Amino acid sequence: MSFEWMTKKLEDVSINLNNKRIPLSSRERENLRKIYPYYGAQGIIDYVDNFIFDGEFLLIAEDGENLKSRKQNVANIAKGKFWVNNHAHILKNNEQSDLYYLYYYLNSIDISGYITGSVQPKLSKANLNSIKIMLPPLKEQKNISGVLRILDDKIELNNAINKNLEEMAQALFKRWFVDFEFPNENGEPYKSSGGEFEESELGLIPKGWRVLNLEEIIEINPKRVLKKGQTSSYVEMKSLKNNYARVSEYVMRKFSSGSRFANGDVLLARITPCLENGKTAYVDFLKNDEVGWGSTEFIVMRSRPPISSEFSYFLARSEQFRSHAILSMTGSSGRQRVPESSLSKYQIALPLVGELISTFEGLTKSALKLMKKNDDESKRLAQIRDTLLPKLISGEIRVPVERDNSATELPMVAESSAIYQP
């Protein structure tokens, strides 16, 4: 490590803006227009109609369980116009420091010695100020954060692409199979161009379509062979993201009891509040003919030919389907579940002939494949970042030259010329 590196307290290399924070109760926020992000200890918790900060700042959790568990970053970058309550410290860098270097440094070190409170962990302002930071010269700080930001920017770009793909596919499902604006033989929207309709138990549906029960097109909780004690991929409820197809993580675990599924299946959270929050996933991460398993609170949906697995996933995501599932919940208010029988009788109108479903399958299959590719790439990039991070902030690996922070330079990070070990 260079003799130029110094150890300083955080208060010496940052500007604390806690005195500008203004907490707003949920009642105060209730009737506000949702325009600007409202931050709490671990990120955005609401939106409000005004802002008290404008720019780029470092938010550090002041309290909360995550200060000890570190399941998420304790420090986050907030950009643009926003509001902050009194559960997050807010900092700016000074002339000695780079904001992103502080961000990466604080998220990588052990701060347990600065945390007080056993029931409600707390990081006081005094303790925050006293955190020791190993600091290289400012230019080198920027070089270090620049390398790490190249990786994070590409991960963020992948996430944004996947979010757009998911939203476009959901919108396409609604337009074609709910609003009946699928393209007719002339390529025009069926309903708005005067397409023919006929009466059904669901009301008016396109002529030639038929109302079907869900059990006719989708098998609920299909039988899967997985022997007790057999090791296989296990998915927890927390691994299903809200309104997103991909399972975030899975672990290898010996099977005891639970739901069982294979590639192409759809996992639907059947318990409140997970269902209301949109926890649904498309299974595409298992190896070959592997049978995975997970929480007993999953309902597994398996498409019956010729219905595609992609169609089943976006059906499960649709507002109409989820509303039906929510209304059918039974049990106590704190632990309500969707009965399997209520989903089996869910009704949907579908075309009996034609290529509409197969066309939808082709479009959405491509989208889901690209989402998987992006997610797999992001995981590799995160591993590279997490490997580099401790070496960079300790001085074990040095970044000798200034780098552009654009995502286009990502391949250079892997080159041996990008970093060196003194």
Side-chain angles (χ1 to χ4, degrees):
M1 185 189 306
S2 169
F3 65 89
E4 296 174 308
W5 286 51
M6 296 180 288
T7 300
K8 294 194 174 186
K9 291 181 179 180
L10 184 58
E11 65 180 346
D12 297 325
V13 296
S14 65
I15 303 166
N16 190 293
L17 301 171
N18 282 7
N19 62 322
K20 296 183 180 294
R21 303 177 303 179
I22 304 175
L24 297 173
S25 68
S26 56
R27 177 168 292 184
E28 289 175 302
R29 303 194 308 269
E30 198 172 54
N31 297 316
L32 299 178
R33 288 182 300 151
K34 307 300 182 180
I35 303 174
Y36 302 105
Y38 179 81
Y39 283 88
Q42 286 304 139
I44 298 171
I45 59 174
D46 201 351
Y47 288 81
V48 294
D49 63 358
N50 209 335
F51 61 92
I52 51 178
F53 294 98
D54 185 4
E56 208 166 38
F57 300 83
L58 185 61
L59 303 187
I60 303 167
E62 183 170 342
D63 49 39
E65 179 273 338
N66 188 61
L67 284 171
K68 284 193 172 181
S69 68
R70 300 296 290 269
K71 293 177 182 177
Q72 299 173 272
N73 285 342
V74 296
N76 291 284
I77 299 289
K79 302 178 183 179
K81 298 173 180 178
F82 59 91
W83 198 290
V84 181
N85 68 15
N86 58 349
H87 293 284
H89 301 287
I90 182 159
L91 304 182
K92 280 289 288 182
N93 57 300
N94 64 16
E95 68 283 352
Q96 300 181 62
S97 63
D98 173 69
L99 189 71
Y100 280 84
Y101 179 85
L102 297 180
Y103 160 75
Y104 286 114
Y105 194 95
L106 291 171
N107 283 322
S108 67
I109 64 170
D110 179 11
I111 61 170
S112 58
Y114 300 94
I115 307 299
T116 59
S118 55
V119 178
Q120 175 71 336
K122 183 176 179 63
L123 176 61
S124 67
K125 179 180 177 180
N127 284 352
L128 174 72
N129 286 340
S130 65
I131 292 176
K132 293 181 179 179
I133 305 289
M134 190 180 295
L135 213 65
L138 182 59
K139 185 175 181 179
E140 193 163 354
Q141 291 178 50
K142 292 180 180 292
N143 290 344
I144 289 170
S145 65
V147 168
L148 297 171
R149 287 180 68 185
I150 289 172
L151 299 169
D152 276 340
D153 286 349
K154 185 61 172 77
I155 293 171
E156 187 176 337
L157 176 61
N158 285 346
N159 291 340
I161 291 172
N162 284 0
K163 182 175 183 291
N164 287 337
L165 289 170
E166 171 88 23
E167 290 175 350
M168 287 190 292
Q170 288 185 35
L172 185 65
F173 181 92
K174 181 178 184 298
R175 182 168 176 81
W176 285 9
F177 299 103
V178 177
D179 299 333
F180 305 131
E181 291 287 22
F182 53 88
N184 62 16
E185 61 274 10
N186 298 318
E188 300 170 332
Y190 183 86
K191 184 177 180 180
S192 58
S193 62
E196 294 185 72
F197 284 79
E198 55 190 10
E199 287 289 348
S200 76
E201 50 265 62
L202 292 179
L204 290 175
I205 63 173
K207 189 173 181 179
W209 286 38
R210 178 185 166 192
V211 175
L212 300 169
N213 288 337
L214 190 74
E215 62 188 356
E216 297 180 74
I217 62 171
I218 294 174
E219 186 179 0
I220 304 298
N221 292 332
K223 301 296 182 183
R224 302 290 185 196
V225 178
L226 190 61
K227 296 180 180 179
K228 195 166 186 178
Q230 182 178 342
T231 299
S232 188
S233 299
Y234 175 80
V235 176
E236 295 183 272
M237 184 65 71
K238 67 180 182 180
S239 296
L240 270 64
K241 300 180 182 179
N242 297 345
N243 300 307
Y244 185 56
R246 307 282 300 138
V247 169
S248 62
E249 61 181 19
Y250 55 91
V251 296
M252 302 304 293
R253 185 179 295 182
K254 290 183 178 180
F255 173 68
S256 54
S257 64
S259 60
R260 282 149 284 183
F261 46 82
N263 279 340
D265 288 348
V266 175
L267 303 182
L268 173 70
R270 69 179 183 125
I271 191 169
T272 184
C274 298
L275 175 62
E276 292 95 327
N277 292 338
K279 283 184 175 287
T280 309
Y282 180 79
V283 180
D284 63 356
F285 55 86
L286 300 174
K287 297 177 181 178
N288 301 321
D289 297 325
E290 180 188 3
V291 174
W293 67 293
S295 168
T296 57
E297 303 297 357
F298 293 144
I299 284 180
V300 181
M301 300 168 57
R302 181 69 171 177
S303 298
R304 299 183 189 274
I307 300 299
S308 70
S309 56
E310 293 81 14
F311 181 91
S312 295
Y313 169 73
F314 288 105
L315 169 63
R317 277 287 188 213
S318 68
E319 183 179 346
Q320 290 74 17
F321 181 85
R322 285 178 54 202
S323 295
H324 170 85
I326 291 169
L327 289 173
S328 69
M329 283 182 156
T330 60
S332 64
S333 59
R335 209 66 172 171
Q336 291 183 308
R337 293 176 174 84
V338 178
E340 177 183 330
S341 58
S342 73
L343 292 188
S344 298
K345 302 304 178 185
Y346 175 78
Q347 293 185 312
I348 182 172
L350 291 175
L352 297 180
V353 294
E355 299 180 352
L356 189 63
I357 292 179
S358 60
T359 301
F360 180 81
E361 174 189 359
L363 293 170
T364 52
K365 186 185 290 290
S366 297
L368 288 169
K369 281 185 176 179
L370 180 54
M371 290 167 71
K372 184 179 189 303
K373 177 178 176 293
N374 288 341
D375 269 353
D376 290 344
E377 180 184 54
S378 292
K379 287 178 181 178
R380 291 193 298 271
L381 294 175
Q383 290 173 347
I384 294 171
R385 177 201 62 206
D386 294 343
T387 300
L388 284 176
L389 180 52
K391 297 178 183 295
L392 287 170
I393 65 169
S394 68
E396 181 182 344
I397 291 179
R398 303 289 293 278
V399 185
V401 293
E402 192 76 38
R403 288 207 169 277
D404 190 319
N405 290 339
S406 66
T408 56
E409 288 199 10
L410 177 64
M412 300 178 67
V413 176
E415 296 175 1
S416 59
S417 60
I419 52 179
Y420 73 92
Q421 298 188 28

